[in-house]
Amino acid sequence: MPKLSFQQVDVFSSQPMRGNPLAVVIGADALSDAQMQSFANWTNLSETTFLLEPTDPKASYGVRIFTPSQELPFAGHPTLGSAHVWLSQQQTSPTGDIVQECGAGLIRIRRDGHRLAFAAPPLTRSGPVDRALVERIAKALSLPDNLIEDSNWCENGPDWIGVRLPSRADVLAVRPDYSALAGTRVGLVGRFDPDLDGRDAQFEVRAFTRNGYEDPVTGSLNAGLAQWLIGSGVAPESYVAAQGTVLGRAGRVYVDKVGDDIWIGGDVVACIQGALEL
């Protein structure tokens, strides 16, 4: 049985246990698909990643990303968490951007002091959401139709549907009916009121997965929302999104548009380090 190095990190938070956890297996090239999926199912985290030698010479490392039930081509908090763990294994600090090779292709990651950020991949689906689907989502979230200001496909691997509400308070008040949402990934976003909500973030985000739970802090969703909100003029080119509030987390996602790129950034802290046998 191979013995492999392992870390569990918290992503999108500078404080342990306030962001979104990720399990990362280092040097996993010898593991089979079945072993990877089995371990991801056992950890029961939203995602578990496996660091590999890259096959593309332009890449710094390769990664495979698994939920408890399937492999994903791309996901946001696994990208930042995997990059953090890969950096922790380097004897000398690399210069320039880090390049991650994953199912969605090559993802650029930059360092800004202690914070990491990835370049949002292109949306594979965008545009208006069918009216009947919006009505089903509204019913599942117990929202009156007129409270939904706008909706848009924000698919970049995961097939997120972005739903914009008037305020942070409206986002936090939602209590989803997961049976009615089944099979749909829905991301809510609403503006902060600086006088009521403070000024450390400008938007509140919540992510309801297709598997019946709320994700604490979601890089892929925030990447899709940023492309939609900035592109439609709703959000400025630089802002901070809060996520995980209802779950007792304090996730912060840092969004910056630089040229044609939108960067999705956050802090990462290591919580568990050791070895595992598979």
Side-chain angles (χ1 to χ4, degrees):
M1 296 176 67
K3 190 171 184 177
L4 302 170
S5 296
F6 168 81
Q7 291 189 29
Q8 191 161 312
V9 297
D10 208 14
V11 185
F12 292 120
S13 175
S14 59
Q15 305 171 42
M17 297 177 289
R18 297 282 277 167
N20 198 355
L22 174 75
V24 184
V25 180
I26 301 163
D29 299 84
L31 296 182
S32 67
D33 292 7
Q35 286 174 307
M36 293 182 190
Q37 184 63 78
S38 179
F39 184 66
N41 178 265
W42 181 79
T43 67
N44 203 32
L45 296 173
S46 60
E47 283 97 10
T48 297
T49 66
F50 299 85
L51 293 181
L52 311 167
E53 290 296 322
T55 60
D56 190 313
K58 295 188 290 293
S60 307
Y61 64 90
V63 70
R64 294 181 68 180
I65 304 166
F66 287 81
T67 75
S69 60
Q70 67 179 117
E71 185 172 7
L72 297 178
F74 168 79
H77 97 274
T79 292
L80 296 188
S82 297
H84 175 89
V85 174
W86 179 80
L87 282 167
S88 75
Q89 303 302 298
Q90 306 310 302
Q91 294 185 347
T92 58
S93 180
T95 59
D97 288 350
I98 301 159
V99 180
Q100 172 181 283
E101 181 184 39
C102 60
L106 299 180
I107 306 295
R108 288 178 294 132
I109 301 160
R110 69 177 186 182
R111 287 168 291 176
D112 182 10
H114 58 277
R115 188 173 294 146
L116 294 170
F118 66 85
L123 294 177
T124 57
R125 184 180 186 182
S126 61
V129 182
D130 181 76
R131 182 63 189 170
L133 181 52
V134 174
E135 290 174 355
R136 181 167 78 84
I137 291 169
K139 184 176 180 180
L141 301 180
S142 299
L143 292 171
D145 284 353
N146 60 5
L147 200 65
I148 294 180
E149 293 188 328
D150 200 2
S151 60
N152 204 75
W153 283 99
C154 298
E155 185 171 342
N156 53 14
D159 51 349
W160 290 108
I161 297 172
V163 174
R164 180 161 59 85
L165 303 184
S167 71
R168 180 191 192 221
D170 293 320
V171 169
L172 295 178
V174 167
R175 296 296 179 266
D177 177 352
Y178 285 110
S179 63
L181 276 179
T184 307
R185 288 187 177 95
V186 177
L188 299 183
V189 59
R191 286 185 183 276
F192 266 50
D193 180 329
D195 296 326
L196 297 176
D197 303 317
R199 300 174 186 273
D200 70 318
Q202 288 72 55
F203 292 92
E204 185 77 33
V205 171
R206 293 179 71 183
F208 304 124
T209 72
R210 60 168 56 240
N211 297 317
Y213 66 90
E214 181 169 352
D215 196 49
V217 202
T218 318
S220 62
L221 171 60
N222 276 282
L225 289 176
Q227 287 160 294
W228 172 39
L229 297 176
I230 294 173
S232 60
V234 171
E237 293 189 349
S238 181
Y239 69 87
V240 180
Q243 193 180 345
T245 307
V246 171
L247 302 176
R249 311 292 176 86
R252 292 295 183 270
V253 181
Y254 298 85
V255 176
D256 286 294
K257 186 176 187 297
V258 181
D260 293 332
D261 292 322
I262 293 178
W263 294 89
I264 306 299
D267 297 300
V268 184
V269 290
C271 297
I272 300 171
Q273 300 185 57
L276 60 92
E277 292 185 0
L278 293 178

